Amino acid sequence: MSGRLPTPRKAIEAAGPPGQFRTLSPDADMLLRLTRAEQPAFDGVASVRVAVTIRALEGVVDGPSIIVDWGDGLELGQPIALKPVGDDVYAVVVHTNAGALSQVLFLPSKTPGQFEIEAFRVDPASEPSGAAPRLSAPRRLLRAGLRKVSPNTARWVRTGLRSLRNPRGLMTMGRSALAGFSRDPWRAAYLNAVGVAKGQTSPEFAAPALHPPPKAPDAPRVLAFYLPQYHPFPENDRWWGKGFTEWTNVSKATPQFVGHRQPHLPGELGFYDLRVPEVLRAQADLAKNAGVDAFCFYYYWFEGKRLLERPLDAFVGDPAIDLPFALCWANENWTRRWDGRESDILIGQNHSPEDDRALLDDLARYMASPRYVRVGGKPLLIVYRPDTLPSAAATVERWRRRARDIGIGELFILCTNAFGFSAYKDAGFDGLVEFPPHALTQGDITETVERLNPDFGGRVYDYSAIVEGRIAALGQRQDARIFPGVMPSWDNEARKPGFSNIFHGATPQRFHAWSSAALDCSMRLAPPDERLVFVNAWNEWGEGAYLEPDRWYGHASAQALRRAVANLAPATALLHPAVLASRDLPRAHDAVMLFHIYYPDLIDDLAARLAPLRASLDVIVTFPDQWPDETVEALARAVPGAVLAPAPNRGRDVAPFLTALEIARGRGHTLFCKAHSKKSPHRSDGAAWRDRLLDGLMSPEPARKALARFAQDPRLGLLAGEDTRVGFDHPGIMTQNADGVAYLARRLGFRYGPRTAFPAGTMFWGRVAAFQALAGLGGQNLPFDPELGQVDGTLAHAFERVMGALAESAGFRVDWDI
């Protein structure tokens, strides 16, 4: 008899406490193989009973079944359905075909989801053994012998015997194995592509930022390289075909190995055309909200001939755009290989002293713009490939003289480390810009990926290994004139099909860590006006290096950079006089409004909603501790008499709620209403949803009713509207939150199941005593994720889901009639 749980085998993984699992596809299965000690109990037994106690934590238990191995292997085409025999209990009696039980394959559900197995038992059934034929003497001897060898050896012997009984079996088995081997990698790639086509997004998918990040006064400036090749022009029509733009390459890229995410598809900006002014304006707004201080346009000059100049001129000439800009001379030959090598030249460079001066004369009109980036008052100019200049030092000196002669003054001239260049001082440059992925070679994993293209001739690198190496190097750097460069990702498969360099496993979290290290390095080494950090790039879609939103990650890369920039801003609000004065305000009411406001433009809306409630509620308002003085003062004027509690921008509205709940508990409040400002920019109905939630909670009549309900029922712990009630069994609710909820269950000591419900939006009325499990958490360093704009799957989202479970586990009632 066996009471062990089966072992996850295919498309299934542990998800929380022991016994909880998540299925990843409809054919997920688990295997129970009898041990040698368990086997004798089933010898000579004709029938066995399999009983499973299983309940869904997410989704439903849909058609659980088993496949039984009676010693001749698993017949995968013949699953036996388990029948419901009680609450969450399924069972079936199966009969032998003259064998002896060896193993049981369990298929939990035809629908992927999360479930908990409380019991899995396999026992001899009550039917007499004579109900089925017994094994012959030779087969009993063979079976006894197979128990003395390893399971793998026994399995191969049984497979071989089956093949001998069926002359065509061996060939069929071989063909199936080969077909499975050849199809599985492509199936994985295909299913991923289908998922993306249906709108599937990464768990790190992020909404857009709605305003620029707070910035330290002396923070480094962030410049993002900008590619202007997203519009047709005559030369490209002639060289590559009519209508060619960068999107032509991007849209045709294909994956080269399992897990290779191609093509990279643009998000809300779409396959844009840079001849459209609205595109440039939208890019500038997105860049500012991402913490980018300037675009660094590639400048294409070939002995007086300019290419791709139209977007730059439109950007500079548009008074609606206030984002600064700089220029980087892309001084390599334009070839058919897209890799900077001097072959198949379409238009080449012809360097000369005259050309050097002519170039500087052409640049002068841009450097005269008040938006042009200056370092120490000097216009910034970057050279992409100094190694291709006949004499870089001579060219730099000519530029400096010419700039003085025509009234520009002194220049701040940098070069990149592309193609191994490092001797910037000898060449007369003021500094060196890191230009990843150049000079990055660690973490080569080419031989470990499962190839889809057997002829793939490129290289694959581990992005995480690269980031670890760069963080370590930045921490040890001493040269302030080597300007840090970062890249959110890199994959130039679109430009070099089958021969690309791919930095695999790039994630917004790792990019955030790299960006933070680069900013810290610049802060540590450089004087304030020379603090520059470069990003490769804003929109290099053909090289998989971009901050613009895409369909998989959304705005996650931009949010990662934004958070790194914001982390440098000081928490000035903590010591604001209005904050300090509010700490001594007396308690006037038993109930208190706990409101977290993140968006300053909603301060007036908050004040209007609170005004009718002040006669029956005290108010504690949390807000980001990096708010500037004028915004704190506006809040204090709007909600006089409220306790003001600045909080770090972490944990969305939940971490500030924990802080506010601690304050409320310390002040002796017993009832609270939790609410917060909410825009949900990833939703078209975000503002309407906010109004609906707040109206149903904070309007005078719902508030009056809530206070009366709590007064009448001392066991009422949480009260919210029925239209906000969401159960754990709702599709998708636990898909990305199962691990977070399991972590909180272990830490806070509550139980939950498919019927557990929570108030969507984390807005509700509550009794302080019902949330005693949260006592003391306000000041603890809980593992909240970095605020990268994720729309789901963070610890804050997990907290949202456990509010009802917390109240019920404390012995209080949850009600949905407000």
Side-chain angles (χ1 to χ4, degrees), residues 131-207:
R134 298 291 304 274
L135 288 176
S136 64
R139 293 188 68 183
R140 287 200 301 271
L141 290 174
L142 176 61
R143 194 65 49 80
L146 290 177
R147 293 193 196 114
K148 297 179 182 180
V149 301
S150 71
N152 283 336
T153 301
R155 192 158 48 251
W156 279 107
V157 170
R158 293 186 183 109
T159 300
L161 290 174
R162 284 201 309 273
S163 300
L164 291 175
R165 292 199 299 269
N166 178 3
R168 303 178 62 180
L170 190 58
M171 289 188 295
T172 301
M173 181 182 66
R175 283 197 300 268
S176 297
L178 290 173
F181 177 83
S182 64
R183 281 198 305 267
D184 284 350
W186 284 105
R187 178 177 176 81
Y190 173 76
L191 291 177
N192 177 73
V194 169
V196 173
K198 291 181 176 180
Q200 177 184 337
T201 60
S202 165
E204 292 85 13
F205 184 91

Side-chain angles (χ1 to χ4, degrees), residues 398-419:
R398 288 188 198 101
W399 285 341
R400 295 190 190 281
R401 286 199 305 267
R402 187 63 177 172
R404 289 191 292 267
D405 291 343
I406 63 178
I408 294 176
E410 298 300 322
L411 299 175
F412 195 79
I413 308 177
L414 305 179
C415 61
T416 79
N417 69 343
F419 298 91

Side-chain angles (χ1 to χ4, degrees), residues 59-80:
V60 296
V61 177
D62 179 15
S65 60
I66 59 171
I67 298 174
V68 180
D69 179 3
W70 295 107
D72 290 326
L74 293 166
E75 295 295 335
L76 297 180
Q78 301 177 13
I80 302 168

Side-chain angles (χ1 to χ4, degrees), residues 384-387 392 415-425 427 429 432:
Y384 176 55
R385 291 199 61 179
D387 61 311
C415 61
T416 79
N417 69 343
F419 298 91
F421 186 84
S422 61
Y424 73 92
K425 294 180 181 177
F429 291 99
L432 183 75

Side-chain angles (χ1 to χ4, degrees), residues 605-794:
D605 181 76
L606 168 62
R609 292 182 183 279
L610 287 177
L613 307 179
R614 299 302 293 273
S616 54
L617 288 173
D618 284 356
V619 178
I620 299 173
V621 180
T622 54
F623 57 93
D625 58 9
Q626 295 175 322
W627 269 13
D629 288 350
E630 57 270 21
T631 306
V632 178
E633 290 158 7
L635 177 64
R637 289 192 301 269
V639 287
V643 175
L644 305 181
N649 184 28
R650 54 190 291 269
R652 304 296 171 90
D653 59 289
V654 173
F657 164 63
L658 299 178
T659 298
L661 189 61
E662 284 294 295
I663 297 172
R665 186 178 283 111
R667 288 166 56 86
H669 295 288
T670 64
L671 300 176
F672 66 86
C673 177
K674 181 202 176 299
H676 58 98
S677 66
K678 190 177 187 66
K679 288 194 175 182
S680 301
H682 62 290
R683 295 177 53 150
S684 59
D685 64 341
W689 187 25
R690 176 186 69 244
D691 290 341
R692 189 163 59 250
L693 290 172
L694 294 179
D695 289 346
L697 202 69
M698 292 177 60
S699 295
E701 181 55 26
R704 183 200 63 75
K705 183 177 179 180
L707 292 173
R709 293 287 303 280
F710 278 99
Q712 296 164 1
D713 185 354
R715 300 316 299 168
L716 180 59
L718 184 151
L719 178 63
E722 177 61 34
D723 59 341
T724 71
R725 182 184 184 277
V726 180
F728 277 23
D729 57 355
H730 189 82
I733 285 299
M734 295 293 284
T735 301
Q736 297 180 22
N737 298 288
D739 292 342
V741 171
Y743 164 79
L744 293 175
R746 294 191 300 269
R747 177 151 186 176
L748 303 179
F750 63 85
R751 292 181 62 83
Y752 60 94
R755 299 180 183 86
T756 300
F758 64 93
T762 330
M763 301 192 199
F764 57 93
W765 287 83
R767 191 181 298 276
V768 173
F771 295 88
Q772 185 61 32
L774 301 179
L777 291 184
Q780 292 194 20
N781 188 24
L782 291 167
F784 285 106
D785 312 75
E787 286 299 322
L788 306 185
Q790 304 98 309
V791 300
D792 199 6
T794 70

Side-chain angles (χ1 to χ4, degrees), residues 215-223 293 373-376 412 414 480-484 518-534 568:
K215 282 202 170 188
D218 56 353
R221 284 178 285 176
V222 177
L223 282 73
D293 295 280
V373 174
R374 286 167 168 75
V375 180
F412 195 79
L414 305 179
R481 288 297 181 91
I482 298 180
F483 297 92
L519 291 164
D520 289 343
C521 176
S522 183
M523 288 286 289
R524 175 173 59 87
L525 292 178
D529 196 53
E530 293 185 10
R531 292 172 181 166
L532 305 174
V533 171
F534 292 84
L568 298 178

